[in-house]
Amino acid sequence: MKIAIIGQQDFGKAVLEAFLARGDQVAGVFCAPEKPGARPDALKAAAQEKGVQVFQFASLKSDEAKKALKDLAPEIGVMAYVTLFAPPEFCAIPKHGMIQFHPSLLPLHRGAASIPWAIIRGRSETGLSIFWPDNGLDTGDVLLQKKTPIGPKDTLGSVYFDRLFPMGVDAMLESVDLAKA
């Protein structure tokens, strides 16, 4: 399947590597521009190393970002750790639309602090959602969810890095297959 990846950092890099390892065609990668003096984005560096075209736009609302995605003609867009807002007209460009990873069991705990809020609220489990984003903050129809327990000694780091991160990479692969089917 021909995929466009929109994301950043280590999670975006892991998703890129997983799709390439199973033989999917990654048409291009979109990631936010680095701030001056910041280390290079891990997704950007991995894409460049593997010869995948990289796009960095300050906004995915721009006509240039939409044109770049349209020119790639992807079958699906995969949003893997995205901090830029992707408007519906950008998400509608790929043939099968755009799916997005979020580290919570939506509709619970939308936004950037979803894991800490699950821990703070004393929840016994959390998880991840892969969904079709719409015009809201982490809103849209859910395609897939995976759950994991929260233990009394869990932290943001243990929940995310030990469980949700690897589960999320696998869930992105599974979700593309579901969307294709």
Side-chain angles (χ1 to χ4, degrees):
M1 188 163 230
K2 190 175 182 184
I3 299 168
I5 296 176
I6 298 87
Q8 61 192 41
Q9 299 306 337
D10 291 331
F11 185 75
K13 175 186 175 194
V15 168
L16 168 68
E17 291 171 343
F19 279 113
L20 291 174
R22 79 170 196 175
D24 287 291
Q25 179 188 359
V26 178
V29 164
F30 291 74
C31 51
E34 295 99 342
K35 292 184 172 42
R39 69 181 176 102
D41 183 275
L43 172 58
K44 175 186 174 182
Q48 289 174 329
E49 179 182 300
K50 301 196 183 302
V52 176
Q53 192 170 7
V54 175
F55 301 91
Q56 291 185 287
F57 298 102
S59 172
L60 298 176
K61 297 177 186 177
S62 72
D63 290 338
E64 295 84 9
K66 290 182 249 181
K67 181 181 182 330
L69 184 59
K70 190 174 214 168
D71 289 348
L72 292 176
E75 293 174 84
I76 194 163
V78 172
M79 297 174 74
Y81 188 70
V82 177
T83 56
L84 295 174
F85 176 73
E89 57 274 10
F90 182 84
C91 294
I93 292 170
K95 178 181 177 181
H96 297 295
M98 187 85 61
I99 57 173
Q100 182 172 345
F101 165 83
H102 187 70
S104 78
L105 295 171
L106 293 174
L108 295 175
H109 311 301
R110 293 184 170 106
S114 58
I115 300 168
W117 277 115
I119 295 169
I120 289 166
R121 299 229 171 169
R123 300 207 184 275
S124 61
E125 71 178 4
T126 188
L128 63 88
S129 301
I130 310 294
F131 67 102
W132 305 98
D134 60 20
N135 206 22
L137 175 62
D138 299 325
T139 60
D141 293 335
V142 173
L143 175 63
L144 177 72
Q145 290 188 314
K146 303 277 183 178
K147 295 179 180 181
T148 188
I150 299 175
K153 294 186 179 187
D154 269 322
T155 64
L156 165 64
S158 66
V159 171
Y160 180 69
F161 291 107
D162 296 347
R163 297 194 298 282
L164 293 180
F165 185 114
M167 285 171 54
V169 173
D170 291 341
M172 293 303 282
L173 297 171
E174 183 180 349
S175 294
V176 165
D177 294 340
L178 289 170
K180 184 178 180 181

